PDB file of all heavy atoms in Angstrom:
ATOM      1  N   ARG A  58      25.459 -34.074  89.677  1.00 94.00           N
ATOM      2  CA  ARG A  58      24.757 -35.250  90.208  1.00 94.00           C
ATOM      3  C   ARG A  58      25.500 -36.507  89.802  1.00 94.00           C
ATOM      4  O   ARG A  58      26.318 -36.489  88.852  1.00 94.00           O
ATOM      5  CB  ARG A  58      23.298 -35.324  89.738  1.00 94.00           C
ATOM      6  CG  ARG A  58      23.122 -35.338  88.256  1.00 94.00           C
ATOM      7  CD  ARG A  58      21.643 -35.481  87.882  1.00 94.00           C
ATOM      8  NE  ARG A  58      20.802 -34.559  88.543  1.00 94.00           N
ATOM      9  CZ  ARG A  58      20.489 -33.301  88.049  1.00 94.00           C
ATOM     10  NH1 ARG A  58      20.992 -32.961  86.852  1.00 94.00           N
ATOM     11  NH2 ARG A  58      19.717 -32.502  88.708  1.00 94.00           N
ATOM     12  N   PHE A  59      25.295 -37.581  90.530  1.00 94.00           N
ATOM     13  CA  PHE A  59      25.916 -38.847  90.152  1.00 94.00           C
ATOM     14  C   PHE A  59      25.323 -39.362  88.870  1.00 94.00           C
ATOM     15  O   PHE A  59      24.097 -39.251  88.623  1.00 94.00           O
ATOM     16  CB  PHE A  59      25.724 -39.883  91.264  1.00 94.00           C
ATOM     17  CG  PHE A  59      26.456 -39.497  92.585  1.00 94.00           C
ATOM     18  CD1 PHE A  59      25.809 -39.463  93.759  1.00 94.00           C
ATOM     19  CD2 PHE A  59      27.842 -39.202  92.530  1.00 94.00           C
ATOM     20  CE1 PHE A  59      26.499 -39.130  94.906  1.00 94.00           C
ATOM     21  CE2 PHE A  59      28.500 -38.893  93.678  1.00 94.00           C
ATOM     22  CZ  PHE A  59      27.826 -38.810  94.889  1.00 94.00           C
ATOM     23  N   LEU A  60      26.145 -39.964  88.031  1.00 88.00           N
ATOM     24  CA  LEU A  60      25.705 -40.401  86.712  1.00 88.00           C
ATOM     25  C   LEU A  60      24.710 -41.525  86.848  1.00 88.00           C
ATOM     26  O   LEU A  60      23.716 -41.602  86.107  1.00 88.00           O
ATOM     27  CB  LEU A  60      26.908 -40.839  85.890  1.00 88.00           C
ATOM     28  CG  LEU A  60      26.608 -41.436  84.498  1.00 88.00           C
ATOM     29  CD1 LEU A  60      25.864 -40.406  83.649  1.00 88.00           C
ATOM     30  CD2 LEU A  60      27.918 -41.860  83.811  1.00 88.00           C
ATOM     31  N   SER A  61      24.977 -42.461  87.738  1.00 79.00           N
ATOM     32  CA  SER A  61      24.072 -43.622  87.861  1.00 79.00           C
ATOM     33  C   SER A  61      23.839 -43.918  89.309  1.00 79.00           C
ATOM     34  O   SER A  61      24.761 -44.257  90.043  1.00 79.00           O
ATOM     35  CB  SER A  61      24.690 -44.847  87.169  1.00 79.00           C
ATOM     36  OG  SER A  61      23.914 -46.003  87.367  1.00 79.00           O
ATOM     37  N   GLN A  62      22.592 -43.830  89.721  1.00 68.00           N
ATOM     38  CA  GLN A  62      22.255 -44.165  91.074  1.00 68.00           C
ATOM     39  C   GLN A  62      22.257 -45.668  91.299  1.00 68.00           C
ATOM     40  O   GLN A  62      22.203 -46.170  92.421  1.00 68.00           O
ATOM     41  CB  GLN A  62      20.851 -43.618  91.414  1.00 68.00           C
ATOM     42  CG  GLN A  62      20.822 -42.097  91.500  1.00 68.00           C
ATOM     43  CD  GLN A  62      21.673 -41.525  92.585  1.00 68.00           C
ATOM     44  OE1 GLN A  62      21.978 -42.181  93.570  1.00 68.00           O
ATOM     45  NE2 GLN A  62      22.102 -40.286  92.459  1.00 68.00           N
ATOM     46  N   SER A  63      22.387 -46.455  90.205  1.00 76.00           N
ATOM     47  CA  SER A  63      22.450 -47.917  90.349  1.00 76.00           C
ATOM     48  C   SER A  63      23.821 -48.358  90.750  1.00 76.00           C
ATOM     49  O   SER A  63      24.045 -49.517  91.111  1.00 76.00           O
ATOM     50  CB  SER A  63      22.057 -48.586  89.041  1.00 76.00           C
ATOM     51  OG  SER A  63      22.968 -48.209  87.979  1.00 76.00           O
ATOM     52  N   ASN A  64      24.801 -47.449  90.652  1.00 89.00           N
ATOM     53  CA  ASN A  64      26.144 -47.753  91.141  1.00 89.00           C
ATOM     54  C   ASN A  64      26.081 -47.946  92.667  1.00 89.00           C
ATOM     55  O   ASN A  64      25.695 -47.013  93.367  1.00 89.00           O
ATOM     56  CB  ASN A  64      27.090 -46.613  90.798  1.00 89.00           C
ATOM     57  CG  ASN A  64      28.536 -46.851  91.219  1.00 89.00           C
ATOM     58  OD1 ASN A  64      28.810 -47.722  92.072  1.00 89.00           O
ATOM     59  ND2 ASN A  64      29.487 -46.187  90.584  1.00 89.00           N
ATOM     60  N   PRO A  65      26.420 -49.116  93.167  1.00 90.00           N
ATOM     61  CA  PRO A  65      26.277 -49.364  94.584  1.00 90.00           C
ATOM     62  C   PRO A  65      27.127 -48.412  95.483  1.00 90.00           C
ATOM     63  O   PRO A  65      26.835 -48.223  96.624  1.00 90.00           O
ATOM     64  CB  PRO A  65      26.705 -50.834  94.773  1.00 90.00           C
ATOM     65  CG  PRO A  65      27.576 -51.113  93.586  1.00 90.00           C
ATOM     66  CD  PRO A  65      26.997 -50.298  92.487  1.00 90.00           C
ATOM     67  N   TYR A  66      28.201 -47.878  94.892  1.00 93.00           N
ATOM     68  CA  TYR A  66      29.065 -46.986  95.651  1.00 93.00           C
ATOM     69  C   TYR A  66      28.477 -45.554  95.732  1.00 93.00           C
ATOM     70  O   TYR A  66      28.846 -44.815  96.641  1.00 93.00           O
ATOM     71  CB  TYR A  66      30.439 -46.921  95.024  1.00 93.00           C
ATOM     72  CG  TYR A  66      31.110 -48.252  94.939  1.00 93.00           C
ATOM     73  CD1 TYR A  66      31.872 -48.588  93.787  1.00 93.00           C
ATOM     74  CD2 TYR A  66      31.025 -49.161  95.966  1.00 93.00           C
ATOM     75  CE1 TYR A  66      32.518 -49.815  93.715  1.00 93.00           C
ATOM     76  CE2 TYR A  66      31.671 -50.396  95.870  1.00 93.00           C
ATOM     77  CZ  TYR A  66      32.430 -50.731  94.744  1.00 93.00           C
ATOM     78  OH  TYR A  66      33.054 -51.951  94.672  1.00 93.00           O
ATOM     79  N   ALA A  67      27.579 -45.218  94.787  1.00 94.00           N
ATOM     80  CA  ALA A  67      27.018 -43.862  94.803  1.00 94.00           C
ATOM     81  C   ALA A  67      26.256 -43.558  96.072  1.00 94.00           C
ATOM     82  O   ALA A  67      26.262 -42.431  96.578  1.00 94.00           O
ATOM     83  CB  ALA A  67      26.131 -43.644  93.557  1.00 94.00           C
ATOM     84  N   GLU A  68      25.591 -44.573  96.647  1.00 93.00           N
ATOM     85  CA  GLU A  68      24.814 -44.339  97.857  1.00 93.00           C
ATOM     86  C   GLU A  68      25.671 -44.087  99.078  1.00 93.00           C
ATOM     87  O   GLU A  68      25.149 -43.684 100.103  1.00 93.00           O
ATOM     88  CB  GLU A  68      23.883 -45.549  98.111  1.00 93.00           C
ATOM     89  CG  GLU A  68      24.627 -46.820  98.467  1.00 93.00           C
ATOM     90  CD  GLU A  68      23.671 -48.003  98.714  1.00 93.00           C
ATOM     91  OE1 GLU A  68      22.521 -47.914  98.307  1.00 93.00           O
ATOM     92  OE2 GLU A  68      24.124 -48.958  99.368  1.00 93.00           O
ATOM     93  N   VAL A 101      33.055 -43.546  91.258  1.00 95.00           N
ATOM     94  CA  VAL A 101      31.776 -42.918  91.103  1.00 95.00           C
ATOM     95  C   VAL A 101      31.882 -41.823  90.064  1.00 95.00           C
ATOM     96  O   VAL A 101      32.806 -41.048  90.087  1.00 95.00           O
ATOM     97  CB  VAL A 101      31.266 -42.297  92.446  1.00 95.00           C
ATOM     98  CG1 VAL A 101      29.905 -41.657  92.265  1.00 95.00           C
ATOM     99  CG2 VAL A 101      31.233 -43.335  93.565  1.00 95.00           C
ATOM    100  N   ASP A 102      30.948 -41.817  89.117  1.00 95.00           N
ATOM    101  CA  ASP A 102      30.957 -40.807  88.041  1.00 95.00           C
ATOM    102  C   ASP A 102      29.972 -39.685  88.384  1.00 95.00           C
ATOM    103  O   ASP A 102      28.856 -39.959  88.798  1.00 95.00           O
ATOM    104  CB  ASP A 102      30.604 -41.421  86.691  1.00 95.00           C
ATOM    105  CG  ASP A 102      31.679 -42.368  86.197  1.00 95.00           C
ATOM    106  OD1 ASP A 102      32.872 -42.161  86.533  1.00 95.00           O
ATOM    107  OD2 ASP A 102      31.333 -43.336  85.482  1.00 95.00           O
ATOM    108  N   VAL A 103      30.401 -38.454  88.144  1.00 95.00           N
ATOM    109  CA  VAL A 103      29.601 -37.272  88.370  1.00 95.00           C
ATOM    110  C   VAL A 103      29.370 -36.565  87.047  1.00 95.00           C
ATOM    111  O   VAL A 103      30.307 -36.459  86.253  1.00 95.00           O
ATOM    112  CB  VAL A 103      30.215 -36.311  89.380  1.00 95.00           C
ATOM    113  CG1 VAL A 103      29.482 -34.988  89.447  1.00 95.00           C
ATOM    114  CG2 VAL A 103      30.279 -36.946  90.761  1.00 95.00           C
ATOM    115  N   ILE A 104      28.129 -36.066  86.819  1.00 93.00           N
ATOM    116  CA  ILE A 104      27.845 -35.282  85.635  1.00 93.00           C
ATOM    117  C   ILE A 104      27.693 -33.819  86.043  1.00 93.00           C
ATOM    118  O   ILE A 104      26.971 -33.492  86.976  1.00 93.00           O
ATOM    119  CB  ILE A 104      26.555 -35.768  84.973  1.00 93.00           C
ATOM    120  CG1 ILE A 104      26.734 -37.146  84.352  1.00 93.00           C
ATOM    121  CG2 ILE A 104      26.071 -34.787  83.918  1.00 93.00           C
ATOM    122  CD1 ILE A 104      27.772 -37.194  83.283  1.00 93.00           C
TER     123      ILE A 104
END
Side-chain angles (χ1 to χ4, degrees):
R58 57 176 53 90
F59 294 127
L60 177 60
S61 174
Q62 292 297 337
S63 62
N64 183 340
Y66 302 140
E68 65 180 20
V101 180
D102 292 330
V103 169
I104 291 299

